[in-house]
Amino acid sequence: MSRARAHGTSGAVSAPDIFDRTARRTRRDRAAPDFTDFDFIRTVMIDGLAERLATVTRDFTDMLDLGCFDAGFPAPPGVTVTRCDAGGVFARSANGVQADEDMLPFASESFDLVVSAGVLDSVNDLPGALSLARRVLRPDGLFLAAFCGAGTLSTLRATLREVERDRPAARIHPQVDVRSAGDLLMRAGFALPVADIEPLTVRYSSIGGLLRDLRGMAATNILRDRVPLRRDTLALAAEAFAARADPDGKTAERFDIIYLTGWAPAPSQPQPARRGSGTQSLKTALERFPERDAG
C-alpha cells in the first residue's frame, strides 16, 4: 500500500514487553472464525464510538480502523478505509495490514480519522500506540477509541484471588483507569482530549460461560509471565464464582469501557486562554456562593 512505511515507537532503549506478542496474534487468529458469536462487548464499543462520531459535523476522507477484528466498524459514507489488525487472519479477511498498534507501518498524516475498538488494553506500549495514532493523523484529524479499563472483570479477579490466596498468579491484564487514559491522550499530543467511562454488566450462569466468552473475543491472558490455570484451581474458582451468584443463580461480571476522543492539533481549533490572562480571581467569583470556600 502506498501509505505503508516502516515506523515504530522503539528508540535506542525500549521497555520490556508486558504482553506476549506471539500469543496475542495466535489468540486473535484462533478467535477469528467464530468471532461474531462473541463480539457483543465490541459491538457496544462500536455503537458508542459511532454515536460520538455522529456528533462531528466535519467530513472525513481517509479512515484507519486500528485493531479491526472482522471489519465491523461502519465507515462514514464516501470514506476510504484502511484496516489494520495484529492478527493475520483478521487482517487478511479485512483486506488489511497486519501490524501491532504500537508498531504502525503508516506514513505521517496519512489519515484524517483513526478509530480503534477493543484492542488498546492489550498493547505493550500504550503511550507509543497513542503517539503513533496521533502521528498518522493529519492536522485537525480525529481519534476515537474504546477499550476495557480498570474495574473490568472485577468478579473474576476477586474469585481467583480467593482461591489462589497462598500462591497468587498474574491472570488478568494490568488495566488503565479513565483519568490515566486522559493523561495519556495529552501526553501523546492530542488537542481537546476527552476520556469517559461507561460500565457494562453481563451475568453468567457459570465461570465456564465467562471464560468461553473471553476466549471467543480473544481476551484471555497473554501476559509474558502467565501461569497455566490448574484443573483443581479452576474447580475451586467455579465454586467461588457460583457463590457470588444472585438469587436467580447468575453471577454479575463487569466490563468498564473507556472511550477516548482527541484531535490532531490545528490552528483552527479553539485554544486555551493564556495563563494569567483572567480578569477575575477564583476567590472573587466564589464570593457569590457563601457556602463554598476558595481555600
Side-chain angles (χ1 to χ4, degrees):
M1 300 181 67
S2 61
R3 294 193 184 93
R5 188 192 300 172
H7 282 289
T9 61
S10 303
V13 179
S14 59
D17 285 348
I18 300 172
F19 301 111
D20 183 333
R21 293 180 187 269
T22 300
R24 185 172 187 250
R25 298 181 188 116
T26 300
R27 304 269 171 97
R28 296 181 75 77
D29 287 347
R30 289 176 179 172
D34 300 310
F35 181 68
T36 54
D37 295 331
F38 302 95
D39 66 350
F40 60 96
I41 300 293
R42 188 167 189 266
T43 296
V44 172
M45 294 180 182
I46 288 175
D47 288 345
L49 294 176
E51 288 178 4
R52 288 160 174 79
L53 183 58
T55 66
V56 179
T57 57
R58 63 155 293 180
D59 294 326
F60 299 97
T61 58
D62 298 285
M63 183 185 98
L64 172 62
D65 185 356
L66 184 59
C68 65
F69 285 89
D70 59 350
F73 191 94
V79 172
T80 299
V81 183
T82 299
R83 311 280 184 182
C84 176
D85 199 275
V89 175
F90 279 131
R92 287 191 295 272
S93 63
N95 294 317
V97 177
Q98 182 179 6
D100 292 344
E101 297 80 0
D102 55 355
M103 295 182 174
L104 295 183
F106 306 109
S108 299
E109 302 185 7
S110 295
F111 309 97
D112 51 16
L113 175 63
V114 174
V115 298
S116 178
V119 294
L120 294 182
D121 56 313
S122 60
V123 173
N124 273 296
D125 183 4
L126 179 55
L130 293 176
S131 294
L132 284 175
R134 156 70 186 85
R135 182 181 58 73
V136 301
L137 277 172
R138 297 169 190 143
D140 204 34
L142 176 62
F143 173 71
L144 291 170
F147 60 94
C148 288
T152 296
L153 298 178
S154 55
T155 303
L156 180 59
R157 185 189 298 272
T159 297
L160 293 174
R161 283 178 176 172
E162 176 182 332
V163 301
E164 294 186 308
R165 186 175 303 155
D166 297 332
R167 302 180 64 182
R171 302 200 182 279
I172 296 179
H173 301 165
Q175 297 170 336
V176 178
D177 61 36
V178 66
R179 181 173 180 176
S180 298
D183 291 343
L184 289 174
L185 270 182
M186 289 189 289
R187 282 179 52 190
F190 284 100
L192 310 174
V194 176
D196 59 288
I197 187 168
E198 295 182 4
L200 174 67
T201 298
V202 182
R203 302 171 72 244
Y204 287 95
S205 300
S206 69
I207 197 173
L210 171 58
L211 297 179
R212 182 170 56 252
D213 278 355
L214 293 178
R215 286 192 294 270
M217 62 181 75
T220 51
N221 189 358
I222 55 170
L223 290 167
R224 290 190 64 190
D225 57 353
R226 64 191 181 277
V227 178
L229 189 63
R230 300 184 332 195
R231 288 177 178 266
D232 57 340
T233 303
L234 179 57
L236 292 173
E239 294 177 3
F241 188 84
R244 289 171 164 79
D246 296 326
D248 64 355
K250 293 187 176 181
T251 302
E253 186 55 278
R254 181 181 179 117
F255 297 85
D256 279 2
I257 302 174
I258 293 178
Y259 290 94
L260 300 181
T261 304
W263 293 84
S268 60
Q269 293 168 349
Q271 301 297 314
R274 179 176 55 83
R275 184 176 178 85
S277 62
T279 59
Q280 183 172 281
S281 70
L282 174 62
K283 183 176 181 180
T284 300
L286 289 180
E287 284 177 352
R288 295 184 295 121
F289 304 94
E291 71 278 10
R292 296 178 174 85
D293 187 356

